[in-house]
Structure formats: C-alpha cells, structure tokens
PDB file of all heavy atoms in Angstrom:
ATOM      1  N   VAL E   1     159.588 103.598 118.950  1.00  0.00           N
ATOM      2  CA  VAL E   1     160.592 103.312 119.960  1.00  0.00           C
ATOM      3  C   VAL E   1     159.939 102.596 121.124  1.00  0.00           C
ATOM      4  O   VAL E   1     158.768 102.932 121.621  1.00  0.00           O
ATOM      5  CB  VAL E   1     161.202 104.688 120.588  1.00  0.00           C
ATOM      6  CG1 VAL E   1     162.131 104.376 121.588  1.00  0.00           C
ATOM      7  CG2 VAL E   1     161.891 105.394 119.301  1.00  0.00           C
ATOM      8  N   GLU E   2     160.582 101.548 121.624  1.00  0.00           N
ATOM      9  CA  GLU E   2     160.027 100.796 122.700  1.00  0.00           C
ATOM     10  C   GLU E   2     160.035 101.699 123.974  1.00  0.00           C
ATOM     11  O   GLU E   2     161.078 102.386 124.291  1.00  0.00           O
ATOM     12  CB  GLU E   2     161.028  99.593 123.100  1.00  0.00           C
ATOM     13  CG  GLU E   2     160.454  98.692 124.184  1.00  0.00           C
ATOM     14  CD  GLU E   2     161.339  97.428 124.336  1.00  0.00           C
ATOM     15  OE1 GLU E   2     162.100  97.206 123.583  1.00  0.00           O
ATOM     16  OE2 GLU E   2     161.047  96.800 125.373  1.00  0.00           O
ATOM     17  N   PRO E   3     158.926 101.715 124.757  1.00  0.00           N
ATOM     18  CA  PRO E   3     158.767 102.614 125.969  1.00  0.00           C
ATOM     19  C   PRO E   3     159.651 102.044 126.981  1.00  0.00           C
ATOM     20  O   PRO E   3     159.979 100.994 127.185  1.00  0.00           O
ATOM     21  CB  PRO E   3     157.388 102.557 126.329  1.00  0.00           C
ATOM     22  CG  PRO E   3     156.909 101.310 125.760  1.00  0.00           C
ATOM     23  CD  PRO E   3     157.781 100.933 124.559  1.00  0.00           C
ATOM     24  N   SER E   4     160.071 103.070 127.956  1.00  0.00           N
ATOM     25  CA  SER E   4     160.845 102.670 129.155  1.00  0.00           C
ATOM     26  C   SER E   4     159.723 101.934 130.100  1.00  0.00           C
ATOM     27  O   SER E   4     158.580 102.385 130.164  1.00  0.00           O
ATOM     28  CB  SER E   4     161.284 103.901 129.837  1.00  0.00           C
ATOM     29  OG  SER E   4     162.180 104.566 129.129  1.00  0.00           O
ATOM     30  N   THR E   5     160.297 100.956 130.816  1.00  0.00           N
ATOM     31  CA  THR E   5     159.299 100.231 131.653  1.00  0.00           C
ATOM     32  C   THR E   5     159.975 100.055 132.998  1.00  0.00           C
ATOM     33  O   THR E   5     161.271 100.177 133.211  1.00  0.00           O
ATOM     34  CB  THR E   5     159.102  98.822 131.102  1.00  0.00           C
ATOM     35  OG1 THR E   5     160.392  98.088 130.907  1.00  0.00           O
ATOM     36  CG2 THR E   5     158.370  98.744 129.697  1.00  0.00           C
ATOM     37  N   GLU E   6     159.014  99.719 133.957  1.00  0.00           N
ATOM     38  CA  GLU E   6     159.535  99.602 135.264  1.00  0.00           C
ATOM     39  C   GLU E   6     159.968  98.110 135.327  1.00  0.00           C
ATOM     40  O   GLU E   6     159.647  97.239 134.504  1.00  0.00           O
ATOM     41  CB  GLU E   6     158.493  99.728 136.320  1.00  0.00           C
ATOM     42  CG  GLU E   6     158.051 101.176 136.312  1.00  0.00           C
ATOM     43  CD  GLU E   6     159.164 102.144 136.957  1.00  0.00           C
ATOM     44  OE1 GLU E   6     159.912 101.875 137.630  1.00  0.00           O
ATOM     45  OE2 GLU E   6     159.014 103.431 136.520  1.00  0.00           O
ATOM     46  N   CYS E   7     160.670  97.592 136.417  1.00  0.00           N
ATOM     47  CA  CYS E   7     161.141  96.320 136.485  1.00  0.00           C
ATOM     48  C   CYS E   7     160.131  95.179 136.367  1.00  0.00           C
ATOM     49  O   CYS E   7     160.266  94.087 135.920  1.00  0.00           O
ATOM     50  CB  CYS E   7     162.111  96.023 137.690  1.00  0.00           C
ATOM     51  SG  CYS E   7     161.168  96.299 139.183  1.00  0.00           S
ATOM     52  N   TRP E   8     158.849  95.614 136.804  1.00  0.00           N
ATOM     53  CA  TRP E   8     157.765  94.537 136.832  1.00  0.00           C
ATOM     54  C   TRP E   8     156.985  94.681 135.427  1.00  0.00           C
ATOM     55  O   TRP E   8     156.094  93.886 135.333  1.00  0.00           O
ATOM     56  CB  TRP E   8     156.927  94.902 138.061  1.00  0.00           C
ATOM     57  CG  TRP E   8     156.155  96.161 138.033  1.00  0.00           C
ATOM     58  CD1 TRP E   8     154.925  96.409 137.189  1.00  0.00           C
ATOM     59  CD2 TRP E   8     156.567  97.381 138.593  1.00  0.00           C
ATOM     60  NE1 TRP E   8     154.685  97.772 137.496  1.00  0.00           N
ATOM     61  CE2 TRP E   8     155.651  98.244 138.387  1.00  0.00           C
ATOM     62  CE3 TRP E   8     157.744  97.771 139.330  1.00  0.00           C
ATOM     63  CZ2 TRP E   8     155.742  99.646 138.722  1.00  0.00           C
ATOM     64  CZ3 TRP E   8     157.825  99.058 139.866  1.00  0.00           C
ATOM     65  CH2 TRP E   8     156.854  99.948 139.489  1.00  0.00           C
ATOM     66  N   GLU E   9     157.268  95.446 134.721  1.00  0.00           N
ATOM     67  CA  GLU E   9     156.487  95.619 133.366  1.00  0.00           C
ATOM     68  C   GLU E   9     157.187  95.034 132.213  1.00  0.00           C
ATOM     69  O   GLU E   9     158.444  94.878 132.166  1.00  0.00           O
ATOM     70  CB  GLU E   9     156.363  97.165 133.105  1.00  0.00           C
ATOM     71  CG  GLU E   9     155.483  97.888 134.054  1.00  0.00           C
ATOM     72  CD  GLU E   9     155.296  99.292 133.665  1.00  0.00           C
ATOM     73  OE1 GLU E   9     156.380  99.894 133.421  1.00  0.00           O
ATOM     74  OE2 GLU E   9     154.375  99.920 133.891  1.00  0.00           O
ATOM     75  N   THR E  10     156.488  94.630 131.168  1.00  0.00           N
ATOM     76  CA  THR E  10     156.993  94.053 130.005  1.00  0.00           C
ATOM     77  C   THR E  10     156.386  94.740 128.748  1.00  0.00           C
ATOM     78  O   THR E  10     155.114  95.050 128.759  1.00  0.00           O
ATOM     79  CB  THR E  10     156.594  92.557 129.834  1.00  0.00           C
ATOM     80  OG1 THR E  10     156.994  91.879 130.992  1.00  0.00           O
ATOM     81  CG2 THR E  10     157.186  91.981 128.603  1.00  0.00           C
ATOM     82  N   ALA E  11     157.229  95.132 127.748  1.00  0.00           N
ATOM     83  CA  ALA E  11     156.759  95.773 126.608  1.00  0.00           C
ATOM     84  C   ALA E  11     156.736  94.903 125.516  1.00  0.00           C
ATOM     85  O   ALA E  11     157.753  94.151 125.209  1.00  0.00           O
ATOM     86  CB  ALA E  11     157.653  97.162 126.343  1.00  0.00           C
ATOM     87  N   THR E  12     155.554  94.689 124.896  1.00  0.00           N
ATOM     88  CA  THR E  12     155.397  93.861 123.694  1.00  0.00           C
ATOM     89  C   THR E  12     154.820  94.585 122.407  1.00  0.00           C
ATOM     90  O   THR E  12     153.857  95.436 122.636  1.00  0.00           O
ATOM     91  CB  THR E  12     154.366  92.668 124.063  1.00  0.00           C
ATOM     92  OG1 THR E  12     154.874  92.089 125.218  1.00  0.00           O
ATOM     93  CG2 THR E  12     154.344  91.643 122.964  1.00  0.00           C
ATOM     94  N   PHE E  13     155.411  94.454 121.312  1.00  0.00           N
ATOM     95  CA  PHE E  13     155.003  95.097 120.090  1.00  0.00           C
ATOM     96  C   PHE E  13     153.827  94.445 119.554  1.00  0.00           C
ATOM     97  O   PHE E  13     153.857  93.197 119.307  1.00  0.00           O
ATOM     98  CB  PHE E  13     156.068  95.240 119.165  1.00  0.00           C
ATOM     99  CG  PHE E  13     155.786  96.303 118.048  1.00  0.00           C
ATOM    100  CD1 PHE E  13     155.784  97.598 118.301  1.00  0.00           C
ATOM    101  CD2 PHE E  13     155.320  95.785 116.687  1.00  0.00           C
ATOM    102  CE1 PHE E  13     155.445  98.630 117.384  1.00  0.00           C
ATOM    103  CE2 PHE E  13     154.967  96.785 115.840  1.00  0.00           C
ATOM    104  CZ  PHE E  13     155.026  98.136 116.184  1.00  0.00           C
ATOM    105  N   ASP E  14     152.729  95.168 119.328  1.00  0.00           N
ATOM    106  CA  ASP E  14     151.458  94.603 118.814  1.00  0.00           C
ATOM    107  C   ASP E  14     151.436  94.940 117.345  1.00  0.00           C
ATOM    108  O   ASP E  14     151.218  96.061 117.057  1.00  0.00           O
ATOM    109  CB  ASP E  14     150.286  95.138 119.542  1.00  0.00           C
ATOM    110  CG  ASP E  14     148.989  94.474 119.105  1.00  0.00           C
ATOM    111  OD1 ASP E  14     148.800  94.043 118.017  1.00  0.00           O
ATOM    112  OD2 ASP E  14     148.102  94.466 119.959  1.00  0.00           O
ATOM    113  N   ASN E  15     151.561  93.954 116.450  1.00  0.00           N
ATOM    114  CA  ASN E  15     151.479  94.156 114.956  1.00  0.00           C
ATOM    115  C   ASN E  15     150.052  94.536 114.505  1.00  0.00           C
ATOM    116  O   ASN E  15     149.892  95.196 113.398  1.00  0.00           O
ATOM    117  CB  ASN E  15     152.054  93.049 114.282  1.00  0.00           C
ATOM    118  CG  ASN E  15     153.508  92.932 114.319  1.00  0.00           C
ATOM    119  OD1 ASN E  15     154.245  93.947 114.056  1.00  0.00           O
ATOM    120  ND2 ASN E  15     154.049  91.797 114.644  1.00  0.00           N
ATOM    121  N   ASN E  16     149.085  94.193 115.300  1.00  0.00           N
ATOM    122  CA  ASN E  16     147.734  94.627 114.730  1.00  0.00           C
ATOM    123  C   ASN E  16     147.451  96.072 115.014  1.00  0.00           C
ATOM    124  O   ASN E  16     146.888  96.799 114.147  1.00  0.00           O
ATOM    125  CB  ASN E  16     146.674  93.779 115.536  1.00  0.00           C
ATOM    126  CG  ASN E  16     146.747  92.434 115.228  1.00  0.00           C
ATOM    127  OD1 ASN E  16     146.951  91.991 114.107  1.00  0.00           O
ATOM    128  ND2 ASN E  16     146.575  91.463 116.293  1.00  0.00           N
ATOM    129  N   THR E  17     147.816  96.649 116.206  1.00  0.00           N
ATOM    130  CA  THR E  17     147.676  98.111 116.426  1.00  0.00           C
ATOM    131  C   THR E  17     148.825  98.947 116.016  1.00  0.00           C
ATOM    132  O   THR E  17     148.801 100.119 116.081  1.00  0.00           O
ATOM    133  CB  THR E  17     147.376  98.306 118.022  1.00  0.00           C
ATOM    134  OG1 THR E  17     148.572  97.862 118.803  1.00  0.00           O
ATOM    135  CG2 THR E  17     146.216  97.537 118.441  1.00  0.00           C
ATOM    136  N   CYS E  18     149.927  98.195 115.851  1.00  0.00           N
ATOM    137  CA  CYS E  18     151.251  98.946 115.378  1.00  0.00           C
ATOM    138  C   CYS E  18     151.673  99.770 116.547  1.00  0.00           C
ATOM    139  O   CYS E  18     152.184 100.899 116.325  1.00  0.00           O
ATOM    140  CB  CYS E  18     151.161  99.653 114.098  1.00  0.00           C
ATOM    141  SG  CYS E  18     152.700  99.911 113.313  1.00  0.00           S
ATOM    142  N   ALA E  19     151.626  99.331 117.827  1.00  0.00           N
ATOM    143  CA  ALA E  19     151.982 100.001 118.866  1.00  0.00           C
ATOM    144  C   ALA E  19     152.549  99.117 120.068  1.00  0.00           C
ATOM    145  O   ALA E  19     152.263  97.891 119.967  1.00  0.00           O
ATOM    146  CB  ALA E  19     150.824 100.807 119.601  1.00  0.00           C
ATOM    147  N   TRP E  20     153.167  99.740 120.953  1.00  0.00           N
ATOM    148  CA  TRP E  20     153.771  99.013 122.013  1.00  0.00           C
ATOM    149  C   TRP E  20     152.734  98.738 123.106  1.00  0.00           C
ATOM    150  O   TRP E  20     152.074  99.744 123.432  1.00  0.00           O
ATOM    151  CB  TRP E  20     155.013  99.672 122.640  1.00  0.00           C
ATOM    152  CG  TRP E  20     156.278  99.497 121.809  1.00  0.00           C
ATOM    153  CD1 TRP E  20     156.725 100.342 120.834  1.00  0.00           C
ATOM    154  CD2 TRP E  20     157.197  98.370 121.736  1.00  0.00           C
ATOM    155  NE1 TRP E  20     157.883  99.926 120.243  1.00  0.00           N
ATOM    156  CE2 TRP E  20     158.085  98.643 120.828  1.00  0.00           C
ATOM    157  CE3 TRP E  20     157.257  97.237 122.357  1.00  0.00           C
ATOM    158  CZ2 TRP E  20     159.202  97.871 120.480  1.00  0.00           C
ATOM    159  CZ3 TRP E  20     158.281  96.374 122.091  1.00  0.00           C
ATOM    160  CH2 TRP E  20     159.210  96.673 121.136  1.00  0.00           C
ATOM    161  N   THR E  21     152.544  97.585 123.647  1.00  0.00           N
ATOM    162  CA  THR E  21     151.771  97.314 124.832  1.00  0.00           C
ATOM    163  C   THR E  21     152.551  97.084 126.049  1.00  0.00           C
ATOM    164  O   THR E  21     153.380  96.177 125.959  1.00  0.00           O
ATOM    165  CB  THR E  21     150.803  96.101 124.453  1.00  0.00           C
ATOM    166  OG1 THR E  21     150.048  96.402 123.333  1.00  0.00           O
ATOM    167  CG2 THR E  21     149.765  95.862 125.571  1.00  0.00           C
ATOM    168  N   VAL E  22     152.360  97.769 127.078  1.00  0.00           N
ATOM    169  CA  VAL E  22     153.015  97.577 128.299  1.00  0.00           C
ATOM    170  C   VAL E  22     152.073  96.933 129.231  1.00  0.00           C
ATOM    171  O   VAL E  22     150.958  97.306 129.497  1.00  0.00           O
ATOM    172  CB  VAL E  22     153.488  99.007 128.944  1.00  0.00           C
ATOM    173  CG1 VAL E  22     154.146  98.771 130.296  1.00  0.00           C
ATOM    174  CG2 VAL E  22     154.408  99.715 128.076  1.00  0.00           C
ATOM    175  N   SER E  23     152.531  95.795 129.905  1.00  0.00           N
ATOM    176  CA  SER E  23     151.666  95.052 130.856  1.00  0.00           C
ATOM    177  C   SER E  23     152.595  94.742 132.041  1.00  0.00           C
ATOM    178  O   SER E  23     153.798  94.814 132.102  1.00  0.00           O
ATOM    179  CB  SER E  23     151.267  93.746 130.245  1.00  0.00           C
ATOM    180  OG  SER E  23     152.268  92.940 129.877  1.00  0.00           O
ATOM    181  N   GLY E  24     151.904  94.378 133.140  1.00  0.00           N
ATOM    182  CA  GLY E  24     152.515  93.932 134.439  1.00  0.00           C
ATOM    183  C   GLY E  24     152.034  94.934 135.559  1.00  0.00           C
ATOM    184  O   GLY E  24     151.751  96.036 135.317  1.00  0.00           O
ATOM    185  N   THR E  25     152.107  94.428 136.713  1.00  0.00           N
ATOM    186  CA  THR E  25     151.776  95.235 137.909  1.00  0.00           C
ATOM    187  C   THR E  25     152.855  95.130 139.020  1.00  0.00           C
ATOM    188  O   THR E  25     153.431  94.061 139.034  1.00  0.00           O
ATOM    189  CB  THR E  25     150.419  94.852 138.533  1.00  0.00           C
ATOM    190  OG1 THR E  25     150.495  93.499 138.859  1.00  0.00           O
ATOM    191  CG2 THR E  25     149.274  95.154 137.628  1.00  0.00           C
ATOM    192  N   GLN E  26     152.971  96.255 139.750  1.00  0.00           N
ATOM    193  CA  GLN E  26     154.046  96.204 140.804  1.00  0.00           C
ATOM    194  C   GLN E  26     153.555  95.259 141.879  1.00  0.00           C
ATOM    195  O   GLN E  26     152.328  95.223 142.129  1.00  0.00           O
ATOM    196  CB  GLN E  26     154.267  97.669 141.294  1.00  0.00           C
ATOM    197  CG  GLN E  26     155.324  97.746 142.332  1.00  0.00           C
ATOM    198  CD  GLN E  26     155.400  99.092 142.923  1.00  0.00           C
ATOM    199  OE1 GLN E  26     154.578  99.958 142.876  1.00  0.00           O
ATOM    200  NE2 GLN E  26     156.547  99.495 143.354  1.00  0.00           N
ATOM    201  N   PRO E  27     154.428  94.482 142.379  1.00  0.00           N
ATOM    202  CA  PRO E  27     154.223  93.620 143.482  1.00  0.00           C
ATOM    203  C   PRO E  27     153.511  94.390 144.715  1.00  0.00           C
ATOM    204  O   PRO E  27     153.898  95.577 144.830  1.00  0.00           O
ATOM    205  CB  PRO E  27     155.485  93.082 143.934  1.00  0.00           C
ATOM    206  CG  PRO E  27     156.375  93.088 142.857  1.00  0.00           C
ATOM    207  CD  PRO E  27     155.981  94.379 142.072  1.00  0.00           C
ATOM    208  N   VAL E  28     152.574  93.843 145.277  1.00  0.00           N
ATOM    209  CA  VAL E  28     151.805  94.582 146.343  1.00  0.00           C
ATOM    210  C   VAL E  28     152.731  94.857 147.546  1.00  0.00           C
ATOM    211  O   VAL E  28     153.456  94.012 147.939  1.00  0.00           O
ATOM    212  CB  VAL E  28     150.625  93.573 146.889  1.00  0.00           C
ATOM    213  CG1 VAL E  28     149.876  94.271 147.994  1.00  0.00           C
ATOM    214  CG2 VAL E  28     149.713  93.401 145.640  1.00  0.00           C
ATOM    215  N   GLU E  29     152.577  96.058 148.087  1.00  0.00           N
ATOM    216  CA  GLU E  29     153.325  96.434 149.164  1.00  0.00           C
ATOM    217  C   GLU E  29     153.013  95.553 150.421  1.00  0.00           C
ATOM    218  O   GLU E  29     151.853  95.440 150.679  1.00  0.00           O
ATOM    219  CB  GLU E  29     153.222  97.914 149.604  1.00  0.00           C
ATOM    220  CG  GLU E  29     154.136  98.346 150.663  1.00  0.00           C
ATOM    221  CD  GLU E  29     153.999  99.819 150.983  1.00  0.00           C
ATOM    222  OE1 GLU E  29     153.398 100.633 150.092  1.00  0.00           O
ATOM    223  OE2 GLU E  29     154.569 100.329 151.899  1.00  0.00           O
ATOM    224  N   PRO E  30     154.134  95.020 151.086  1.00  0.00           N
ATOM    225  CA  PRO E  30     153.818  94.200 152.209  1.00  0.00           C
ATOM    226  C   PRO E  30     153.254  94.962 153.441  1.00  0.00           C
ATOM    227  O   PRO E  30     153.459  96.120 153.570  1.00  0.00           O
ATOM    228  CB  PRO E  30     155.094  93.514 152.661  1.00  0.00           C
ATOM    229  CG  PRO E  30     156.024  94.490 152.147  1.00  0.00           C
ATOM    230  CD  PRO E  30     155.484  95.166 150.903  1.00  0.00           C
ATOM    231  N   SER E  31     152.419  94.273 154.258  1.00  0.00           N
ATOM    232  CA  SER E  31     151.922  94.925 155.539  1.00  0.00           C
ATOM    233  C   SER E  31     153.138  94.915 156.418  1.00  0.00           C
ATOM    234  O   SER E  31     153.991  94.114 156.443  1.00  0.00           O
ATOM    235  CB  SER E  31     150.899  94.026 156.213  1.00  0.00           C
ATOM    236  OG  SER E  31     149.703  93.848 155.337  1.00  0.00           O
ATOM    237  N   THR E  32     153.287  96.066 157.040  1.00  0.00           N
ATOM    238  CA  THR E  32     154.313  96.324 158.054  1.00  0.00           C
ATOM    239  C   THR E  32     153.870  96.625 159.402  1.00  0.00           C
ATOM    240  O   THR E  32     152.750  97.115 159.611  1.00  0.00           O
ATOM    241  CB  THR E  32     155.231  97.523 157.467  1.00  0.00           C
ATOM    242  OG1 THR E  32     154.440  98.638 157.374  1.00  0.00           O
ATOM    243  CG2 THR E  32     155.883  97.100 156.222  1.00  0.00           C
ATOM    244  N   GLU E  33     154.700  96.435 160.487  1.00  0.00           N
ATOM    245  CA  GLU E  33     154.437  96.928 161.652  1.00  0.00           C
ATOM    246  C   GLU E  33     154.761  98.380 161.776  1.00  0.00           C
ATOM    247  O   GLU E  33     155.492  98.950 160.979  1.00  0.00           O
ATOM    248  CB  GLU E  33     155.175  96.057 162.685  1.00  0.00           C
ATOM    249  CG  GLU E  33     154.991  94.577 162.718  1.00  0.00           C
ATOM    250  CD  GLU E  33     153.537  94.266 163.254  1.00  0.00           C
ATOM    251  OE1 GLU E  33     153.040  94.994 163.985  1.00  0.00           O
ATOM    252  OE2 GLU E  33     153.033  93.201 162.805  1.00  0.00           O
ATOM    253  N   CYS E  34     154.380  99.060 162.976  1.00  0.00           N
ATOM    254  CA  CYS E  34     154.603 100.500 162.974  1.00  0.00           C
ATOM    255  C   CYS E  34     156.125 100.918 162.962  1.00  0.00           C
ATOM    256  O   CYS E  34     156.459 101.901 162.509  1.00  0.00           O
ATOM    257  CB  CYS E  34     153.881 101.084 164.249  1.00  0.00           C
ATOM    258  SG  CYS E  34     154.484 100.373 165.786  1.00  0.00           S
ATOM    259  N   TRP E  35     156.970 100.006 163.388  1.00  0.00           N
ATOM    260  CA  TRP E  35     158.437 100.250 163.310  1.00  0.00           C
ATOM    261  C   TRP E  35     159.196  99.850 162.143  1.00  0.00           C
ATOM    262  O   TRP E  35     160.343 100.086 161.963  1.00  0.00           O
ATOM    263  CB  TRP E  35     159.083  99.622 164.592  1.00  0.00           C
ATOM    264  CG  TRP E  35     158.966  98.114 164.508  1.00  0.00           C
ATOM    265  CD1 TRP E  35     159.962  97.340 163.757  1.00  0.00           C
ATOM    266  CD2 TRP E  35     158.149  97.200 165.056  1.00  0.00           C
ATOM    267  NE1 TRP E  35     159.534  96.014 163.952  1.00  0.00           N
ATOM    268  CE2 TRP E  35     158.419  95.940 164.649  1.00  0.00           C
ATOM    269  CE3 TRP E  35     156.819  97.428 165.754  1.00  0.00           C
ATOM    270  CZ2 TRP E  35     157.708  94.812 165.042  1.00  0.00           C
ATOM    271  CZ3 TRP E  35     156.160  96.376 166.081  1.00  0.00           C
ATOM    272  CH2 TRP E  35     156.603  95.024 165.765  1.00  0.00           C
ATOM    273  N   GLU E  36     158.393  99.344 161.139  1.00  0.00           N
ATOM    274  CA  GLU E  36     158.950  98.898 159.927  1.00  0.00           C
ATOM    275  C   GLU E  36     158.695  99.760 158.768  1.00  0.00           C
ATOM    276  O   GLU E  36     157.739 100.493 158.725  1.00  0.00           O
ATOM    277  CB  GLU E  36     158.455  97.430 159.488  1.00  0.00           C
ATOM    278  CG  GLU E  36     158.863  96.408 160.543  1.00  0.00           C
ATOM    279  CD  GLU E  36     158.211  95.000 160.066  1.00  0.00           C
ATOM    280  OE1 GLU E  36     156.990  95.030 159.755  1.00  0.00           O
ATOM    281  OE2 GLU E  36     158.980  94.127 160.187  1.00  0.00           O
ATOM    282  N   THR E  37     159.635  99.863 157.785  1.00  0.00           N
ATOM    283  CA  THR E  37     159.378 100.695 156.601  1.00  0.00           C
ATOM    284  C   THR E  37     159.578  99.696 155.396  1.00  0.00           C
ATOM    285  O   THR E  37     160.557  98.913 155.256  1.00  0.00           O
ATOM    286  CB  THR E  37     160.550 101.671 156.479  1.00  0.00           C
ATOM    287  OG1 THR E  37     160.473 102.574 157.677  1.00  0.00           O
ATOM    288  CG2 THR E  37     160.392 102.548 155.235  1.00  0.00           C
ATOM    289  N   ALA E  38     158.664  99.850 154.388  1.00  0.00           N
ATOM    290  CA  ALA E  38     158.775  98.999 153.194  1.00  0.00           C
ATOM    291  C   ALA E  38     159.290  99.937 152.091  1.00  0.00           C
ATOM    292  O   ALA E  38     158.685 101.107 151.820  1.00  0.00           O
ATOM    293  CB  ALA E  38     157.478  98.429 152.742  1.00  0.00           C
ATOM    294  N   THR E  39     160.308  99.530 151.370  1.00  0.00           N
ATOM    295  CA  THR E  39     160.916 100.376 150.277  1.00  0.00           C
ATOM    296  C   THR E  39     161.049  99.431 148.994  1.00  0.00           C
ATOM    297  O   THR E  39     161.550  98.291 149.198  1.00  0.00           O
ATOM    298  CB  THR E  39     162.375 100.769 150.601  1.00  0.00           C
ATOM    299  OG1 THR E  39     162.286 101.567 151.867  1.00  0.00           O
ATOM    300  CG2 THR E  39     162.844 101.839 149.591  1.00  0.00           C
ATOM    301  N   PHE E  40     160.627  99.861 147.896  1.00  0.00           N
ATOM    302  CA  PHE E  40     160.636  99.032 146.721  1.00  0.00           C
ATOM    303  C   PHE E  40     162.035  99.153 146.059  1.00  0.00           C
ATOM    304  O   PHE E  40     162.584 100.256 145.892  1.00  0.00           O
ATOM    305  CB  PHE E  40     159.692  99.547 145.646  1.00  0.00           C
ATOM    306  CG  PHE E  40     159.550  98.534 144.644  1.00  0.00           C
ATOM    307  CD1 PHE E  40     158.691  97.336 144.866  1.00  0.00           C
ATOM    308  CD2 PHE E  40     160.030  98.653 143.400  1.00  0.00           C
ATOM    309  CE1 PHE E  40     158.676  96.283 143.831  1.00  0.00           C
ATOM    310  CE2 PHE E  40     159.907  97.682 142.365  1.00  0.00           C
ATOM    311  CZ  PHE E  40     159.221  96.598 142.579  1.00  0.00           C
ATOM    312  N   ASP E  41     162.726  97.987 145.837  1.00  0.00           N
ATOM    313  CA  ASP E  41     163.979  98.001 145.207  1.00  0.00           C
ATOM    314  C   ASP E  41     163.822  97.663 143.843  1.00  0.00           C
ATOM    315  O   ASP E  41     163.496  96.494 143.332  1.00  0.00           O
ATOM    316  CB  ASP E  41     164.881  96.869 145.889  1.00  0.00           C
ATOM    317  CG  ASP E  41     166.267  96.780 145.366  1.00  0.00           C
ATOM    318  OD1 ASP E  41     166.542  97.174 144.359  1.00  0.00           O
ATOM    319  OD2 ASP E  41     167.119  96.297 146.300  1.00  0.00           O
ATOM    320  N   ASN E  42     164.277  98.629 142.917  1.00  0.00           N
ATOM    321  CA  ASN E  42     164.089  98.493 141.447  1.00  0.00           C
ATOM    322  C   ASN E  42     165.210  97.471 140.834  1.00  0.00           C
ATOM    323  O   ASN E  42     164.893  97.057 139.782  1.00  0.00           O
ATOM    324  CB  ASN E  42     164.140  99.797 140.714  1.00  0.00           C
ATOM    325  CG  ASN E  42     162.934 100.640 140.822  1.00  0.00           C
ATOM    326  OD1 ASN E  42     161.799 100.028 140.630  1.00  0.00           O
ATOM    327  ND2 ASN E  42     162.986 101.871 141.341  1.00  0.00           N
TER     328      ASN E  42
END
C-alpha cells in the first residue's frame, strides 16, 4: 500500500527494493519578528 505523505513529500514505488520510497522536505520555516507567528498550511 502506498504510504500517506505530507504535501511536500512524494511516494515512488521502487521495483528494485519492492518498496515505496518517500522523498521531499518541508519548506523551511521563515524568520519572523517577535509579534509574528508562522503556521504551516497543508
């Protein structure tokens, strides 16, 4: 079964290992000022 992935991830089936490979990294959280809040929108 294909694994669940986050929006920044991609699942690819590898026929050599016969398994799903998940790749991708979440975008880096931006620098914020003390009055700002950064929230990730999926």
Side-chain angles (χ1 to χ4, degrees):
V1 176
E2 182 174 352
S4 297
T5 57
E6 298 293 335
C7 62
W8 65 85
E9 296 176 317
T10 302
T12 307
F13 194 76
D14 185 334
N15 285 311
N16 294 321
T17 62
C18 204
W20 286 95
T21 302
V22 177
S23 60
T25 56
Q26 184 180 27
V28 176
E29 184 174 351
S31 297
T32 56
E33 298 294 334
C34 61
W35 66 84
E36 295 176 317
T37 302
T39 307
F40 194 77
D41 184 333
N42 284 311

